């Protein structure tokens, strides 16, 4: 994990939605590199496991970044028709395709999380909310598409007396491009968790692992995260 230069006391403030995964890890460090005062915000909505949340806590503790994990498990019954929130549903394996992507959609997730992050921003006087939507998610995840981000940005500007800007710096970037920028910043992606399974080692076969491994392969580097077997860790 790279060291971050001190942030000026009068710097602007942003709330970063930080899941503990690769994309939000890069967004978090990008905001710090901008010299912003960062408040990291994670959400426990009853997802299949807490590995990402544990990783997020560890990273924020190391960086000295204020971090809040919001317990919204009370809404779990509203969003449990997904393999990510219902352990009784089989987790699809293999590269992302329309059917496997659909199984991992959590209903209205980003609208819910962004709404809460905007509230946090207004509450602490932050001018911005950052989140890690990226171009690779556009195929099926409607709440990662430019139209959605533009609409939510409009709402964030009028919903309160204090306008908040929604910032998705990688909206037009692929995961490989995000990783490339993070590697150029000297980031260690060992301090992230991507796998949809919450086991000791990443599975290497779920869509999220496959996408991650493809990004590392595209950059010609080895993923530092351990997988369940030597072959699972190679694309």
């Amino acid at each position: 994990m790279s060291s971050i230069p001190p942030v000026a006391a009068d710097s602007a403030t942003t709330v970063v939605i930080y899941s503990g995964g690769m994309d939000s890890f890069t967004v978090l460090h990008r905001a710090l590199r901008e010299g912003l005062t960062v408040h990291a915000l994670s959400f426990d909505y009853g997802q299949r496991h807490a590995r990402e949340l544990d990783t997020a806590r560890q990273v924020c503790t190391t960086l000295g970044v204020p971090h809040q994990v919001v317990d919204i498990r009370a809404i779990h019954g509203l969003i449990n028709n997904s393999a990510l929130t219902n352990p009784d549903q089989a987790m699809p394996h293999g590269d992302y395709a329309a059917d496997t992507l659909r199984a991992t959609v959590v209903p209205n997730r980003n609208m819910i999380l962004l709404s809460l992050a905007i509230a946090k921003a207004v509450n602490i006087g932050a001018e911005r909310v950052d989140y890690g939507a990226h171009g690779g998610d556009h195929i099926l995840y409607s709440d990662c598409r430019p139209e959605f981000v533009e609409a939510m940005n409009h709402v964030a500007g009028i919903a309160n007396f204090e306008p908040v800007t929604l910032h998705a710096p990688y909206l037009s970037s692929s995961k490989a491009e995000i990783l490339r920028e993070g590697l150029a910043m000297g980031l260690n992606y060992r301090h992230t968790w991507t796998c949809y399974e919450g086991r000791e080692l990443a599975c290497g076969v779920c869509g999220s692992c496959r996408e991650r491994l493809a990004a590392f392969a595209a950059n010609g580097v080895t993923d530092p995260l351990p997988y369940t077997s030597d072959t699972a860790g190679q694309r």
Side-chain angles (χ1 to χ4, degrees):
M1 203 181 308
S2 64
S3 60
I4 302 298
V7 177
D10 60 350
S11 62
T13 302
T14 187
V15 173
V16 175
I17 297 179
Y18 181 38
S19 68
M22 284 179 63
D23 306 326
S24 61
F25 179 75
T26 314
V27 169
L28 179 77
H29 282 82
R30 181 186 175 115
L32 290 167
R33 295 295 179 101
E34 287 183 49
L36 300 174
T37 298
V38 171
H39 290 257
L41 197 61
S42 304
F43 298 93
D44 183 352
Y45 51 86
Q47 49 266 62
R48 198 178 184 105
H49 62 79
R51 288 295 302 270
E52 276 189 320
L53 294 177
D54 293 340
T55 300
R57 288 187 185 96
Q58 292 166 7
V59 168
C60 289
T61 297
T62 300
L63 293 175
V65 170
H67 179 225
Q68 182 177 1
V69 178
V70 184
D71 185 350
I72 54 172
R73 287 176 294 173
I75 71 168
H76 185 260
L78 306 178
I79 59 171
N80 62 355
N81 188 23
S82 168
L84 298 192
T85 51
N86 186 349
D88 294 329
Q89 288 192 24
M91 183 62 67
H93 290 170
D95 292 331
Y96 280 134
D99 55 342
T100 57
L101 274 167
R102 191 173 295 278
T104 60
V105 171
V106 178
N108 210 34
R109 175 173 58 182
N110 282 346
M111 186 179 291
I112 294 167
L113 304 190
L114 284 167
S115 295
L116 295 172
I118 291 166
K120 168 79 172 180
V122 172
N123 193 52
I124 65 173
E127 297 85 1
R128 207 170 86 179
V129 167
D130 290 21
Y131 93 116
H134 68 84
D137 285 338
H138 296 174
I139 298 172
L140 191 72
Y141 292 138
S142 301
D143 56 4
C144 290
R145 292 175 183 164
E147 310 93 278
F148 172 81
V149 176
E150 291 165 8
M152 284 300 293
N153 187 48
H154 176 68
V155 169
I158 63 174
N160 299 278
F161 288 119
E162 301 83 3
V164 174
T165 299
L166 179 57
H167 185 57
Y170 298 119
L171 191 59
S172 300
S173 303
S174 68
K175 204 172 195 76
E177 290 168 337
I178 297 171
L179 176 60
R180 187 173 305 126
E181 182 170 315
L183 293 172
M185 286 192 279
L187 303 185
N188 183 356
Y189 286 88
R190 178 67 179 82
H191 305 295
T192 63
W193 184 263
T194 302
C195 184
Y196 284 151
E197 305 282 1
R199 301 168 186 167
E200 182 65 25
L201 302 178
C203 72
V205 294
C206 70
S208 189
C209 279
R210 298 290 292 171
E211 184 186 43
R212 176 184 175 120
L213 289 167
F216 275 93
N219 282 281
V221 294
T222 300
D223 187 349
L225 201 66
Y227 287 80
T228 53
S229 71
D230 292 338
T231 53
Q234 304 299 321
R235 178 66 182 171

